[in-house]
Amino acid sequence: MRPMESTEYDLIVLGAGAVGENVADRAVQGGLTAVLVEHELVGGECSYWACMPSKALLRPAQALRAARQVDGAKEAVTGALDVAAVLARRDSFTHNWNDESQVQWAEGTGIAVVRGHGRLTAPKEVTVTTPDGGEVVLRARHAVTISTGSDPLIPDIDGLHDADPWTSRDATSAKVAPESLAIIGGGVVATEMATAYASFGTQVTLISRGGLLAGMEPFAGEMVAEALRDLGVKVLLQTATTGVHRTDDGVTVTTGDGGTVTAQEVLVATGRTPRTTDIGLDVIGLTPGDWLETDDTMLVKGFDWLYATGDVNHRALLTHQGKYQARAAGDVIAARAAGRPVSDGPWGTHAATADHEAVPQVTFTDPEVASVGLTLKAATDAGYRVRSVDYEIGNVAGASVYADGYKGTARMVVDEDRKVVLGVTFVGPDVSELLQAATVAVVAQVPIDRLWHAVPAYPTINEIWLRLLESYGRP
C-alpha cells in the first residue's frame, strides 16, 4: 500500500457528477479552493447512464415518427430506424464512457480531482482509497458537500436479485437491443425505456403495480399508456410482480394475477435509493443508507459544515434541480467562508426555494409529458383554493400545422385567492419546448390578468396559453 498523503482544501465534494461539479465550480468562482472525489466517471450518472444517453436513444425514433405525421414528409420516409446507428450516436454522447474531457474541464477551472472511494473519517475530513490501494486524507477548511447521488432500487421480489436484472444503467448502455424486454415499474424510467426499446423493434411488456407516471396529472399516464400500446407495448396496469426467475432462455416474470411474462431481459425501474451506505456517515452520527435532510441552503440539519446536494437529499431527484441546488450551495459556502451576507430567505440567492412547489420535469416519452409546479391534487392537498382548466392542444392552429392529427392536452392550475398559476402540465409531441414559459409563470407568480398581455406568436403551439386563459375567463 502506498503511504498516506494529506491535502487541505476549502471545500471537499464527494461525488463528481453534474451536481458535484457545479458545487465545486461555484465555490471556486467565489474564491475558494475545491476538490472533487469520484470513484467512477467524472460527470456522473447524467452524462453516462441517465439524462444524455437515454435521450440520445429516444430522439431518433421520435424524429422519425414526427416526419411520418406530416403529409409530404411522410412520403419521403422510406426506411426503418437504424438501431445500430442510434446506439453509435448514443456512444458519441457518452464519449464511449470516457471522462477525460470532463476531468480536463474541472482541472481547467481550478478544481482538483481525486479518484477513489471517499469516506468521512472525522468532521471536515475525507479519506480516499485510491485505485492503486493508497490512501489520501483530505481536510476541509470550511465545508464538505455530499453529492453522491442515488442507485436503482431493487425491490424484494422473489428471485429478482438472483435473476441479474437490468437497471437503468444497463438499459441506457446496452450494446444491442434484446428481442424481448419485461419492464417492472410505471415511472419515468420505465415509460421512457419502454418507448425507446419498442422503437428498436423489441417486444416490450411493461408491468406496473399502479398506473403510469404516478404523481402527475392522471391524463398524462393515460395518454402515455395509450401511446405505448400503439407502439406495440403490452401494458399491464394495476398488476403486481410476485416473482422473477432466470432460465436458460431468458427470464420469467410472475404477476399477482397468476399470469407470466417471458422475455430475454428484465428491467427494474421501481425507484431510487440514496448512495450513502459506505461514505462514513456513522462517523459523524448519521445513519448509513439514509437520505440527508437539508435546509434550503443545502446545509444538512444539525451541522454547520456538511452540505448535501442532488438526489442524495431527496428533495427533487432531477439533474436540473440538483444543479440548481448546487449553485445555491456553492455560492453560500463561499459567502459563509468569506463572511459575506447570506440571502437564504424564500427565492433568495442562496436558497433552493423552487424545490418545494416549482419543479419542472419532462418525461421524454412520445407524447412528451412536461410539467411544472403543483398538480390539481397536490395543490388541493396543500390547502390551496384552486381551479383548473384543460384544453386540447390539437385544437390550437400551431399544433395543426406542426403535425397532422396532433393529439395533446394541457392543464393549468390556478390559486383562486391570489389569481396566480400554481402548476401547468402539457402532454403532446415536443411540449418540452413549452415548459420554460410555464416555469417562469409559476416561479414569478405572474398574476393571471398580467398573463393576458404575454401575447403568444401565431401560429405556434404556444397559443395554448391564450386558449387556457380564455377557458379560465378574463378578470
Side-chain angles (χ1 to χ4, degrees):
M1 179 178 290
R2 293 176 52 227
M4 187 176 295
E5 302 173 12
S6 180
T7 312
E8 190 172 64
Y9 294 89
D10 293 322
L11 168 66
I12 301 169
V13 182
L14 270 182
V19 176
E21 288 176 329
N22 273 268
V23 176
D25 186 40
R26 297 300 301 184
V28 167
Q29 290 187 46
L32 303 186
T33 60
V35 58
L36 291 167
V37 179
E38 179 57 60
H39 75 285
E40 290 189 304
L41 296 177
V42 174
E45 204 77 16
C46 179
S47 297
Y48 303 103
W49 298 286
C51 319
M52 296 306 294
S54 66
K55 305 316 168 277
L57 291 176
L58 287 157
R59 176 57 186 162
Q62 181 191 46
L64 187 61
R65 285 189 292 268
R68 288 172 172 163
Q69 284 184 281
V70 181
D71 276 343
K74 68 181 181 183
E75 288 78 8
V77 179
T78 58
L81 188 72
D82 186 329
V83 178
V86 173
L87 297 176
R89 182 173 185 264
R90 181 270 322 271
D91 291 349
S92 73
F93 279 93
T94 65
H95 299 278
N96 287 297
W97 290 272
N98 183 304
D99 65 357
E100 182 180 352
S101 63
Q102 301 243 32
V103 173
Q104 289 176 349
W105 168 84
E107 294 177 342
T109 58
I111 303 167
V113 177
V114 174
R115 291 192 183 273
H117 190 105
R119 298 174 181 85
L120 290 159
T121 44
K124 296 185 183 179
E125 180 184 277
V126 172
T127 299
V128 183
T129 303
T130 59
D132 61 2
E135 285 191 341
V136 176
V137 177
L138 304 173
R139 293 185 175 89
R141 300 183 189 95
H142 298 291
V144 174
T145 299
I146 298 175
S147 303
T148 48
S150 63
D151 288 312
L153 174 66
I154 307 298
D156 187 18
I157 295 173
D158 181 45
L160 180 58
H161 285 78
D162 293 335
D164 191 24
W166 274 14
T167 66
S168 54
R169 283 193 171 196
D170 299 292
T172 57
S173 62
K175 297 303 182 184
V176 296
E179 292 182 3
S180 54
L181 176 66
I183 301 176
I184 302 172
V188 173
V189 172
T191 54
E192 287 188 349
M193 290 300 96
T195 302
Y197 278 89
S199 302
F200 298 160
T202 297
Q203 182 181 342
V204 177
T205 303
L206 187 151
I207 308 162
S208 174
R209 64 180 180 181
L212 298 186
L213 302 178
M216 299 185 187
E217 296 288 6
F219 63 84
E222 293 165 3
M223 293 179 69
V224 169
E226 179 184 357
L228 287 174
R229 291 187 176 107
D230 289 344
L231 283 176
V233 177
K234 185 176 182 180
V235 181
L236 304 178
L237 304 180
Q238 312 301 327
T239 303
T241 299
T242 56
V244 178
H245 300 281
R246 185 168 287 279
T247 67
D248 292 339
D249 298 323
V251 291
T252 299
V253 180
T254 306
T255 59
D257 57 7
T260 59
V261 174
T262 58
Q264 186 176 343
E265 296 291 348
V266 58
L267 164 63
V268 180
T270 53
R272 309 287 295 182
T273 186
R275 197 176 291 159
T276 60
T277 55
D278 190 23
I279 59 171
L281 291 186
D282 52 318
V283 173
I284 57 172
L286 297 175
T287 304
D290 277 1
W291 302 101
L292 298 174
E293 185 181 1
T294 71
D295 66 14
D296 278 0
T297 68
M298 303 299 106
L299 193 63
V300 176
K301 299 291 181 69
F303 294 84
D304 64 2
W305 58 272
L306 185 66
Y307 294 75
T309 54
D311 283 10
V312 76
N313 61 35
H314 209 230
R315 289 166 65 100
L317 278 66
L318 297 160
T319 296
H320 49 272
Q321 290 303 118
K323 292 167 72 172
Y324 163 70
Q325 296 168 10
R327 291 189 289 271
D331 288 349
V332 80
I333 290 167
R336 285 170 173 158
R340 295 192 294 266
V342 170
S343 175
D344 58 358
W347 308 111
T349 301
H350 303 122
T353 311
D355 283 349
H356 300 298
E357 295 185 348
V359 174
Q361 179 173 3
V362 179
T363 303
F364 289 89
T365 46
D366 195 358
E368 292 178 344
V369 180
S371 63
V372 63
L374 300 179
T375 62
L376 176 59
K377 182 180 185 303
T380 302
D381 290 347
Y384 291 102
R385 188 172 68 89
V386 297
R387 178 184 163 203
S388 68
V389 293
D390 295 357
Y391 198 87
E392 294 303 307
I393 304 175
N395 293 335
V396 173
S400 64
V401 173
Y402 182 88
D404 301 331
Y406 187 109
K407 292 175 63 176
T409 299
R411 171 172 290 177
M412 179 174 69
V413 180
V414 178
D415 179 344
E416 287 290 82
D417 293 321
R418 294 180 298 151
K419 298 297 183 182
V420 297
V421 180
L422 289 173
V424 184
T425 297
F426 305 107
V427 182
D430 283 338
V431 292
S432 56
E433 300 304 326
L434 303 175
L435 188 56
Q436 187 61 14
T439 302
V440 171
V442 171
V443 170
Q445 300 178 351
V446 180
I448 287 288
D449 58 357
R450 178 58 64 89
L451 280 176
W452 278 88
H453 297 281
V455 183
Y458 182 90
T460 69
I461 303 176
N462 280 294
E463 197 182 12
I464 185 62
W465 279 102
L466 176 58
R467 302 306 172 211
L468 288 169
L469 291 170
E470 289 175 336
S471 299
Y472 179 81
R474 194 160 193 171

